[in-house]
Amino acid sequence: MADAPKLGFGPFAAPAKLGPSGVLIVFCDDALKFGPATRAALGSASGLVARAAKAERFTGKNGSALELIVPEGLKAARLVVIGTGKTADLKAKDFVKLGGLALGKLPVSASEATVFAELPKGAMKPGQAADLAFGASLRAYAFDRYKTKRKDDEKPPASRSVTVAVGDVAGARKAYESRAAIAGGVLTARDLVNEPANVLYPEEFARRTLALKKSGVAVEVLDVKAMEKLGMRALLGVGQGSSRESRVVVMRWNGGRKADAPLAFIGKGVCFDTGGISIKPAASMEDMKGDMAGAACVVGLMQALAARKAKVNAVGVIGVVENMPDGNAQRPGDIVTSMSGQTIEIINTDAEGRLVLADVIWYAAQRFKPKFIVDLATLTGAIIVALGQEYAGMFANDDKLAERLTKAGEDTGEKVWRMPLAPEYDKMIDSKFADMKNTGGSRWGGAITAAQFIKRFVDDKTPWAHLDIAGTGFDSRHNDINKSWGSGWGVRLLDRLVQDYYEK
Ligand code: BES
Ligand code: MN
Ligand code: ZN
């Protein structure tokens, strides 16, 4: 599992003098105003900052930055001034972003930096300072374990210490504890998504989840025999063309009251999706190593909940398979019986994620009688056509759960957009030969017919939301808190959902 911050730790200290090779990072608002501690630290360099701001047309707009190298009057090697815009408008997610931005301003060579957690009106609150450190630790992640030829000047120093200077050191440390737990979960999810499929095949994926045991998560791995016994023919059919065996992993965190029904999080874990016999075109097929981003999120979330000792009962269930063409692979036209007893005609072997989910969702619902079910899956290209990479698609049978997810999305920046479900779409997956078929027949409404398919494996009385994360689970457009292809999307969203509504 990934460790939370790759920064020198603990990251909080009272403001102190920085060494001559250090980087000083401070914040100002859109009137170019600094807080008192920052003004004191800048001392005679303030005049220089004002002149540089003018020369650079730096106005303190949120997210903008002004950089001064070896500024006269300061001991630091570099001064970075980051604009916050109007400070009254700043929300938690903005502090996270500012922390990421601050870390991004460090040159590769920098070994020492201090970030002044102060706004013009005074010290940031402990939670705000902790959010800066949270954003910085997310930004600091890089998946570089397969890079062997980096030049010396591209390598960061062996140790790097980044200090967030705060007044209330103890308060900030306390506030950071839960955030470090969440950051650890996000980084684990990113690692899993970035890992190539020759390394991360289903058995290896399952093996890596065992690391959760040390933080108190009960982990069970179901092998092919166990799944056969349960009748998971929909899931097993997807994996049958692969030389790698399929697995289901069940992770349980019991931090709540004994009698409380658990929250269930279900993930699609297709370690590689070639499309199977309905094989995909070659262009961008390498991205399909990330077709397990839903499962990765569930693992990251369980890690986060356990690490911050969340007062909740939660279960994570992931179906982990590889979709390959082979002499033994499933064919279009095949009919399989799912664990629920419902039969499915396979029209397209590339619509495999819903087959995996059908069995794991059914299994989790029967076994755990959860309070709600949220599933995550890189399920359809169609959701990317509809929403691009900004929002994940959300389908739900329950307005309250949908509203809560929407709110958690706005608060964290991992946004979801609700899409429709309706009997007219459901009809599109009726089959000539079986209870249903695994595609809608045309490409129109492809994300919706996929969701309708999954809905047939959820009973109407269990609140359920399906998140189609095909556009958000991996992403080459980086942002202030993520420079990695595997985004770890969903861990922060679902942790917030749990924290805000289910942990009282
Ligand atoms: N894993 C893909 C969906 C996907 C595409 C995820 C691009 C991320 C990026 C999924 O298994 C798939 O192949 N879906 C098909 C469904 C179709 C055959 C009905 C699709 O979207 O084309
Ligand atoms: Mn597919
Ligand atoms: Zn897939």
Side-chain angles (χ1 to χ4, degrees), residues 270-314:
V270 177
C271 290
F272 196 81
D273 181 13
T274 62
I277 295 300
S278 316
I279 198 162
K280 287 181 180 295
S284 301
M285 203 206 272
E286 68 279 10
D287 283 355
M288 287 300 107
K289 72 171 183 175
D291 206 19
M292 29 55 69
C297 171
V298 171
V299 175
L301 175 69
M302 295 306 291
Q303 179 184 332
L305 294 177
R308 68 174 183 77
K309 302 206 165 24
K311 291 188 176 51
V312 73
N313 297 334

